Amino acid sequence: MENDVKKKPSNTDGLSRVDGRLKVTGRAKYSAEYNIKGITYGVLVGSTITKGSIKKIDTKLAESAPGVLSVITYLNAPKIPGYQNAPAKGPFKIFYDDQVYFNGQPIALVVADTFERALFAASLVKATYAVNTSFQTDLLNNLSNAETPHNGKDYVRGQEDAYKTAPIKLEAEYVIPTNVHNPMELHAIIARWEADDKVTVWDKTQGVKSTQRSIATAFKLPPDNVQVTAPFVGGAFGAALRTWPHEIAAVMAAQVVKRPVKLVLSRADMFTSVGYRPYTWQKIGLGATADGKLVGITHEATGQTSAYEDFTENTVNISQLMYACPNVNTRYKLASLNVNTPTPMRGPGEATGAFALESALDELSYALNIDPIELRLRNYADTDPSSGKPYSSKFLNEAYKLGADSIGWSNRSQKPGSVLKDGLLEGYGMAAGMFGAYRGAATVKATMAADGTLTLQTAVTDIGPGTGTAMANVASETMGIPAEKIKVVIGDSSLPPSPTQGGSNITSTVGSAVHDACIELKGKFGTLTGASGTDKLDYVILLKQNNLPQLEVTTTSKGGAEQGKYAMYSWSVHFIKVRINPVTGVIKIDKATSVADCGVVVSYKTARSQIIGGTIMGIGMGLFEDAIIDHRYGRLVNNNFADYHMAVQADIPQLEALFVNKPDPFLNPIGAKGMGEIATIGVAAAVANAVYNATGKRVRELPITLDKVV
Ligand code: MOS
C-alpha cells in the first residue's frame, strides 16, 4: 500500500458507479426535484431586443393573473448588496437597471403558485424599448474591433513570426462557431430563506462551496448562513462553474414572496443564461524544414465576449506548449458583442486552439508528405518548451502507438481522396491534445464505524464523471476493504471543503485527499495495536477490542513543492475513421479511438465513460454543433434540441477508450492525472483531418456539414 504510486491497477478494474442504481431507478434527486413545503415557481421573461433600454415594462396583467405572487423587474427588485460596489465591467447584474445588452436577457421574473400559472403570466409581461440598432452579434464582422484583454499579453518565444521565412510555410484561418453545453439536466435552483439572514439552496452547481461564497457575497451574509446542496448534477461541462444571474434572481425572489422559489431554466433559456463555448476566429502560421522540423509557430485568436464582461480562455496556449519549436508567438484578442458572456466548456480554450493547431499540423504533414504521427514525433517535446522544466510524466508517444494500432492506421493512404470502398470515401485522421494536470486542496473526513463501514465526506460535487466511484476505488485500495463497505457523502456545503469540480482536477485533488485520509486513519488503527505493519488490520475487531464506536480522521491534503519543479500535463490522442458518401456528402464516423495519458486510471469503468463522452462531445463540435444567431435581429434561431444538432446514437459508432495507465510520480500520491478535458481536446481536429484524408477537402470552419465536402 505504501507503494501506491508504483502500483498499476489493471484496466479491467470492474467497480461500477456507486450511485448507478440510484440514478437508473430515478431515486437520485436533482436540484429541481425536491419537494419543499410551500414551494412557488419562477419563470423568467427575456428581452426581445438585442441592445437598448427598457422604456416601459407593463406587469399589471401578469400581476393580476391567477396564482401570481410577484413580478420582479428592475423597477421593484430589492437591491442586491453585492451589486452595489461591483466594477462597471463584470458579471451581469440581474434586474439592476433598464439596460439591455443581449437578446433574451432576463427582464422580469414571474413567481406563481404553480409552474403553469407562472408560465402563463410571464406571457403577459409587456415591455417597450428604446432600441439601439447598432448592436453587433457577428464575430467575423467585428474582428477589427477586437482588443487584447485587460490582463492579456502577447507571447513571444525566440523570434516573432519566424514561420514566414522557413523553408516550408503554411498559413491558414480556422473558425469555430458557438457551442452550447446543453446538459440533459436543465439548470435549476430552489431557494428557501430560513431566517432574515439565512438561506438554503438546492442548486445545480459544480461547486457548492463556490456557490456558497457567491450567494453570501451577493446578499452580504456570513458564508455559513448559506447552505448549498447538490448531491447529484445531471451534466454540466463548465456551465455550472459559476453562480449565474438566475440563481441570484431565485434567492431574491424567495426573499420577496417569503416562500421557497423554484426556478428551472427552459431549454431556450439555457442558450442565453449559462454561457457557451465562444465563437472564435484563429490563424495559424507554421514554418518547417523540409524534413519536418518546426521552425516557427504563430497562433492568433479572437474570441467573442459580452458587452458587459470579459471572458478569456487559453485558446492559443496549446501552441506555446505542445511541440518542441524554438520560435513561437501567440496573440489573443476579444471582441465585445451583444451576446451573453461565454464560459468554460469542456477543454475550454484548448479544444478551440487544438482544432486550429492540430488541423494545421495535418495540413503541414501533407505539404511535406510525412505521416501525421511521424511529423508529431519529429517535433515531440521531451521537456516543457515554454518553461524548460521536465515533465512530471509524459507518455504521449506510447498513446500514439496504442491508438494507431487500434484504429488500423497502417491502412490509411497518405494520398487524400484515394480510397473508395463500397461507393464510400474512406479516410483516417488523428490529432493530439493536452491539458494542465492539477492538484488543489481538499479536506476529507473518513469514519470507520463499528460494523466496518467506511464513510467518506467532502463537499465536492459529481457532475457526471463518477467522483464518488473514484473516491470509493481509492479508499478501497488504500484501506484494503471492499467498495461495498464504503459510503460516499458529497455535494453539500456543510461538508468538509473541496474545490469546484472542473478543470480535470478532482480525482487528483479529492482522490489524493481520500488517499491521505485513509493512510491517516490506518495509522490511527495502527496505534491501537501497537503493530508496526498496518496492512492486515481488522478494523471491526480493533474497534471492538478497544470499546470504540468508531474511529475518524479529518484530513486536509494538497499539492507540495514538486508542483513547481515539474511541468504537469495530461495528454491525449484521438483517431477517427470516416466514411463519406461522395455524392451526398454525408459523413459517417466509422470508428473512433481515443487514448489518454492521464496517469493511473483509478476507476476504469467511469474513466472509459468519461473518455467516450468527451469524444462524442468532440465529434459534435466537429460535425454538428452550431448555435446560430440571425444577425439582423441578434437573436438565436436554433435554441432548442430540434434545431441545435448534437451527436445522437445514430451518429456514434462503437467508441474505444484506451489508457497508457502509467503513474505520474510527482503530481500526487495516487499517480492519477486528469482526463475530463483531454477527452475532448483534439477530437474536432481529428474529425477534420479524417474528412480531408477521405475527400481532399480541407474544412477550416466548423461544423463540417455535408455542404462543405460535396
Ligand atoms: Mo470544466 S470546462 O472544467 O467544467
Side-chain angles (χ1 to χ4, degrees):
M1 276 298 133
E2 273 63 43
N3 281 339
D4 277 327
V5 166
K6 294 188 194 81
K7 187 170 173 298
K8 259 198 290 169
S10 96
N11 263 3
T12 51
D13 177 355
L15 186 55
S16 296
R17 276 179 195 268
V18 293
D19 51 5
R21 188 173 292 271
L22 288 177
K23 285 187 170 179
V24 298
T25 55
R27 284 179 296 151
K29 260 196 192 181
Y30 296 85
S31 49
E33 298 181 317
Y34 287 84
N35 292 317
I36 308 290
K37 196 165 170 277
I39 193 101
T40 67
Y41 301 82
V43 169
L44 290 167
V45 180
S47 135
T48 55
I49 67 158
T50 302
K51 185 179 180 182
S53 58
I54 302 167
K55 265 208 308 223
K56 189 163 175 279
I57 184 155
D58 186 355
T59 56
K60 276 199 201 70
L61 260 181
E63 277 158 347
S64 57
V68 171
L69 299 164
S70 183
V71 180
I72 300 172
T73 70
Y74 80 96
L75 292 170
N76 63 353
K79 294 276 168 274
I80 301 296
Y83 283 178
Q84 301 317 313
N85 294 316
K89 266 216 160 187
F92 173 66
K93 299 192 273 294
I94 195 162
F95 311 141
Y96 182 72
D97 59 21
D98 62 354
Q99 292 302 300
V100 175
Y101 301 97
F102 62 95
N103 210 298
Q105 172 186 318
I107 58 164
L109 177 69
V110 178
V111 185
D113 59 354
T114 71
F115 170 70
E116 290 75 11
R117 285 172 148 184
L119 192 62
F120 172 66
S123 73
L124 303 175
V125 175
K126 292 287 175 254
T128 50
Y129 303 92
V131 179
N132 185 334
T133 54
S134 72
F135 62 82
Q136 298 294 326
T137 53
D138 188 345
L139 176 76
L140 298 182
N141 272 343
N142 284 274
L143 293 176
S144 56
N145 306 326
E147 288 172 10
T148 304
H150 184 58
N151 291 323
K153 219 175 132 223
D154 292 351
Y155 172 91
V156 183
R157 175 166 88 230
Q159 190 198 329
E160 206 168 345
D161 292 338
Y163 78 93
K164 288 184 175 166
T165 51
I168 310 289
K169 100 176 190 189
L170 182 148
E171 212 175 70
E173 293 180 29
Y174 302 87
V175 173
I176 70 146
T178 292
N179 282 190
V180 184
H181 310 71
N182 266 321
M184 288 252 280
E185 181 202 22
L186 299 164
H187 282 236
I189 178 169
I190 297 171
R192 180 177 75 192
W193 286 84
E194 314 292 352
D196 281 350
D197 62 349
K198 210 163 179 286
V199 67
T200 304
V201 300
W202 292 260
D203 192 20
K204 170 162 184 154
T205 174
Q206 291 175 234
V208 288
K209 297 300 281 184
S210 55
T211 300
Q212 180 186 51
R213 283 193 296 274
S214 302
I215 292 176
T217 304
F219 291 88
K220 222 176 175 189
L221 301 169
D224 285 348
N225 286 17
V226 180
Q227 158 93 11
V228 182
T229 301
F232 295 97
V233 178
F237 317 114
L241 279 173
R242 68 188 286 188
T243 303
W244 294 106
H246 75 270
E247 292 162 274
I248 301 298
V251 177
M252 176 203 283
Q255 208 171 29
V256 170
V257 301
K258 298 185 168 46
R259 282 171 67 177
V261 171
K262 180 196 290 198
L263 176 54
V264 182
L265 295 185
S266 68
R267 189 52 69 181
D269 287 339
M270 294 283 289
F271 283 74
T272 47
S273 306
V274 292
Y276 53 88
R277 192 191 300 284
Y279 211 118
T280 304
W281 168 90
Q282 300 178 79
K283 185 176 169 188
I284 299 271
L286 290 183
T289 59
D291 63 350
K293 275 286 206 186
L294 285 168
V295 175
I297 304 174
T298 296
H299 189 163
E300 294 172 71
T302 298
Q304 71 177 36
T305 191
S306 65
Y308 50 88
E309 181 180 25
D310 278 359
F311 169 76
T312 61
E313 55 184 13
N314 294 338
T315 313
V316 294
N317 301 45
I318 197 161
S319 290
Q320 303 162 12
L321 300 168
M322 192 81 200
Y323 296 104
C325 178
N327 306 300
V328 176
N329 62 297
T330 64
R331 305 182 195 108
Y332 175 67
K333 290 182 178 179
L334 285 182
S336 294
L337 303 178
N338 293 102
V339 293
N340 56 308
T341 309
T343 214
M345 177 167 157
R346 201 166 191 176
E350 284 83 352
T352 303
F355 168 61
L357 178 67
E358 291 295 294
S359 291
L361 252 286
D362 198 67
E363 298 201 41
L364 184 65
S365 76
Y366 288 96
L368 295 165
N369 197 24
I370 297 176
D371 177 277
I373 300 175
E374 175 57 28
L375 177 62
R376 283 166 176 82
L377 289 173
R378 287 188 194 177
N379 295 283
Y380 197 76
D382 290 310
T383 54
D384 178 32
S386 186
S387 68
K389 288 179 188 173
Y391 293 119
S392 56
S393 65
K394 180 181 180 183
F395 304 103
L396 180 59
N397 47 0
E398 292 184 34
Y400 287 156
K401 174 134 184 36
L402 276 173
D405 289 349
S406 178
I407 197 93
W409 188 254
S410 56
N411 298 320
R412 169 187 171 275
S413 164
Q414 174 75 11
K415 194 171 171 324
S418 63
V419 181
L420 194 68
K421 274 189 193 158
D422 305 325
L424 299 175
L425 291 162
E426 188 179 275
Y428 294 80
M430 57 81 63
M434 68 183 294
F435 194 79
Y438 305 100
R439 179 186 178 193
T443 305
V444 169
K445 183 174 174 185
T447 309
M448 182 64 81
D451 67 351
T453 305
L454 177 73
T455 302
L456 301 169
Q457 292 172 285
T458 189
V460 73
T461 59
D462 177 7
I463 63 173
T467 299
T469 312
M471 289 169 67
N473 260 309
V474 172
S476 166
E477 285 207 19
T478 315
M479 295 297 286
I481 58 173
E484 301 82 63
K485 285 281 190 191
I486 297 168
K487 203 176 145 214
V488 177
V489 181
I490 56 173
D492 195 290
S493 61
S494 61
L495 295 166
S498 266
T500 295
Q501 166 114 218
S504 299
N505 89 100
I506 287 299
T507 298
S508 170
T509 299
V510 177
S512 300
V514 166
H515 170 271
D516 290 357
C518 289
I519 295 288
E520 199 179 324
L521 185 59
K522 276 174 78 173
K524 229 171 165 178
F525 274 101
T527 60
L528 293 181
T529 64
S532 48
T534 51
D535 264 7
K536 290 197 194 83
L537 295 172
D538 189 318
Y539 308 114
V540 176
I541 291 174
L542 277 172
L543 286 171
K544 206 167 169 193
Q545 282 173 347
N546 290 274
N547 268 326
L548 291 169
Q550 61 182 52
L551 213 51
E552 66 178 48
V553 295
T554 300
T555 306
T556 298
S557 117
K558 59 177 198 274
E562 63 279 4
Q563 301 226 353
K565 284 194 228 148
Y566 297 93
M568 298 176 165
Y569 297 98
S570 289
W571 308 89
S572 62
V573 59
H574 307 281
F575 288 86
I576 299 278
K577 182 183 174 196
V578 290
R579 289 217 166 109
I580 300 177
N581 186 312
V583 180
T584 64
V586 169
I587 302 165
K588 289 292 279 183
I589 304 285
D590 189 58
K591 192 175 175 192
T593 298
S594 292
V595 193
D597 165 18
C598 54
V600 158
V601 176
V602 300
S603 173
Y604 175 70
K605 274 193 188 175
T606 54
R608 181 180 173 275
S609 298
Q610 171 93 320
I611 295 293
I612 284 175
T615 306
I616 294 170
M617 202 174 247
I619 291 172
M621 184 181 177
L623 295 181
F624 309 112
E625 300 200 36
D626 185 2
I628 298 166
I629 291 177
D630 182 334
H631 298 301
R632 293 171 301 172
Y633 308 106
R635 189 181 304 161
L636 279 157
V637 294
N638 61 344
N639 51 355
N640 58 71
F641 272 1
D643 298 318
Y644 181 89
H645 291 178
M646 281 179 285
V648 297
Q649 294 290 353
D651 300 312
I652 302 298
Q654 189 65 40
L655 301 180
E656 190 170 43
L658 300 174
F659 299 95
V660 176
N661 201 17
K662 288 191 175 169
D664 184 300
F666 300 111
L667 179 62
N668 57 45
I670 59 174
K673 301 189 279 189
M675 68 175 73
E677 322 289 338
I678 54 162
T680 295
I681 298 166
V683 177
V687 172
N689 297 344
V691 168
Y692 178 77
N693 185 249
T695 63
K697 291 253 164 60
R698 177 62 64 178
V699 182
R700 302 186 184 92
E701 182 164 2
L702 297 180
I704 308 170
T705 44
L706 51 81
D707 52 298
K708 293 176 185 166
V709 297
V710 287

